[in-house]
Amino acid sequence: MQSVGIYEAKSRFSALIELVEQGEEVRITRHGKEVVRMLPVRRRPVISDEQIARELGQMEALHATVRPADDAASPDTLRRTGRSAA
């Protein structure tokens, strides 16, 4: 983040725009108080497509290792017979 006064912002406007295009946030101040905040229109995504694909693959691999519940431990069986005191 860069902070500049109005006078400096007027003289360096094109350079500040280039910074914003590169993803930088620029704040313009008047008498030390922020009056303008310039942000890029499009920010980079927080997570990339590759990261999403990798996470989905890991979730699918985990899902493949999980076995369905046995009939003996199903919720219906537990309701009928109760839990054992093991």
Side-chain angles (χ1 to χ4, degrees):
M1 178 192 70
Q2 189 166 356
S3 184
V4 297
I6 289 177
Y7 179 80
E8 183 182 354
K10 285 179 9 180
S11 62
R12 296 184 44 216
F13 190 70
S14 294
L16 295 175
I17 294 295
E18 286 180 21
L19 285 174
V20 172
E21 287 177 329
Q22 295 170 10
E24 183 80 20
E25 180 177 318
V26 175
R27 296 178 183 201
I28 300 174
T29 61
R30 174 185 287 154
H31 305 297
K33 287 186 166 183
E34 181 182 320
V35 292
V36 174
R37 185 177 302 162
M38 295 178 9
L39 303 170
V41 173
R42 294 184 189 143
R43 291 189 177 251
R44 284 180 262 164
V46 175
I47 186 168
S48 68
D49 291 340
E50 294 81 17
Q51 289 172 313
I52 292 170
R54 185 174 56 247
E55 294 289 331
L56 287 174
Q58 290 174 350
M59 288 170 49
E60 289 172 3
L62 178 63
H63 182 67
T65 64
V66 176
R67 290 180 291 137
D70 296 335
D71 282 340
S74 72
D76 291 332
T77 303
L78 291 174
R79 279 190 210 105
R80 282 182 297 200
T81 63
R83 296 180 188 262
S84 64

